[in-house]
Amino acid sequence: QVQLVESGGGLVRPGDSLTLSCAASGGSFRTYTMAWFRQGPGKAREFVAARRSTDSNPYYEASVKDRFTASRDNAKKMMYLQMNSLKPEDSAVYYCAAGSRIIRSTLEEPNAYDYWGQGTQVIVSL
């Protein structure tokens, strides 16, 4: 069993930066694919970024690829999401997720992940 706790959300202005953190406990963190998803009001949960356990390449949703950076620290059991040049459309609740059987074709599918945090809200507004 893995427990995930996100932090770092808040209210920022367009163009600002924000870093989200995800602290994991339980399980074998280094073996999990870790991902960030987000869900805006009235919208489905969507993939943002992921770092697999088996390779060093990060994966990003197209609209965040040049602005967000996902990283993980296996020793500390932490996952991060550095968000730069934030836009109002980035406003959402951001969730950290962990999956033990993620393959490339399921990386962006919420249902493929086993564990979820409670989410942290990000609001980008003037």
Side-chain angles (χ1 to χ4, degrees):
Q1 193 77 3
V2 175
Q3 292 79 43
L4 303 173
V5 179
E6 304 95 334
S7 61
L11 172 63
V12 296
R13 295 186 176 185
D16 283 354
S17 298
L18 201 61
T19 299
L20 305 182
S21 299
C22 173
S25 60
S28 182
F29 180 84
R30 62 178 66 248
T31 67
Y32 286 93
T33 291
M34 298 299 298
W36 288 99
F37 287 79
R38 64 186 179 186
Q39 188 167 15
K43 298 182 179 179
R45 192 166 298 190
E46 64 174 2
F47 172 79
V48 176
R51 294 298 296 260
R52 298 180 66 185
S53 63
T54 55
D55 63 60
S56 61
N57 296 321
Y59 299 87
Y60 298 103
E61 190 272 329
S63 70
V64 309
K65 186 175 183 179
D66 296 324
R67 300 184 295 122
F68 291 10
T69 301
S71 60
R72 60 187 293 170
D73 185 330
N74 289 337
K76 295 182 178 179
K77 295 188 176 182
M78 295 290 295
M79 174 79 164
Y80 305 98
L81 185 67
Q82 171 68 42
M83 305 185 293
N84 298 326
S85 302
L86 282 161
K87 304 175 181 180
E89 51 263 44
D90 294 318
S91 297
V93 178
Y94 283 71
Y95 296 92
C96 178
S100 61
R101 295 176 299 275
I102 306 297
I103 58 176
R104 181 61 186 94
S105 61
T106 64
L107 196 70
E108 301 182 15
E109 298 298 325
N111 290 338
Y113 289 81
D114 305 305
Y115 305 103
W116 292 85
Q118 83 290 346
T120 185
Q121 187 162 40
V122 174
I123 300 174
V124 185
S125 176
L126 292 171

